[in-house]
Amino acid sequence: MHARYEKTHSVNLRKRWLITVGLFLIIQLLLIAIDGTFLEPNLNDSGNMISRIGTYILEARLFTEWITPYSFPLFNLLVMLQIIAISIQALQDMINLRMSKK
């Protein structure tokens, strides 16, 4: 019964990673299609605190000079957040696999 659980778990893990990578690639294709076109979102510059914080974050060198796969800084931020989320999930899955083998 234990071997059956491991097989089911590995199939579920494989499906989850295929979905995760697939969604990442689909989002990247959408960002590539939208970047540099009139479809880019128009950020609210009303001057309220949330928009000032957002502008401050998006104008940071991290998103304007270091991480720049796209010309629109918001897309660069989205890519970084996706990569962080995927990395956290990968780390969690590696820990779970290591613990289940013991």
Side-chain angles (χ1 to χ4, degrees):
M1 182 153 168
H2 185 64
R4 182 180 200 135
Y5 170 76
E6 285 183 14
K7 184 177 180 183
T8 304
H9 179 69
S10 68
V11 169
N12 290 339
L13 190 62
R14 191 174 304 127
K15 282 182 183 178
R16 185 174 62 200
W17 275 102
L18 283 173
I19 291 169
T20 300
V21 171
L23 285 173
F24 178 78
L25 293 175
I26 288 169
I27 291 171
Q28 294 310 305
L29 289 173
L30 286 172
L31 294 179
I32 289 169
I34 294 172
D35 191 44
T37 68
F38 69 95
L39 297 173
E40 284 181 353
N42 186 9
L43 298 177
N44 184 1
D45 58 354
S46 63
N48 63 24
M49 188 170 98
I50 293 174
S51 103
R52 284 191 311 226
I53 291 171
T55 302
Y56 175 77
I57 291 171
L58 292 177
E59 290 178 356
R61 286 181 55 188
L62 180 65
F63 302 115
T64 59
E65 293 179 21
W66 296 347
I67 302 173
T68 58
Y70 302 105
S71 62
F72 194 54
L74 179 63
F75 293 169
N76 297 331
L77 174 66
L78 291 174
V79 169
M80 189 184 82
L81 292 175
Q82 284 180 317
I83 290 172
I84 290 171
I86 291 171
S87 299
I88 290 170
Q89 185 63 48
L91 184 61
Q92 182 182 12
D93 286 345
M94 287 189 292
I95 291 171
N96 287 341
L97 283 173
R98 179 74 92 174
M99 296 295 240
S100 68
K101 290 187 179 190
K102 287 185 178 181

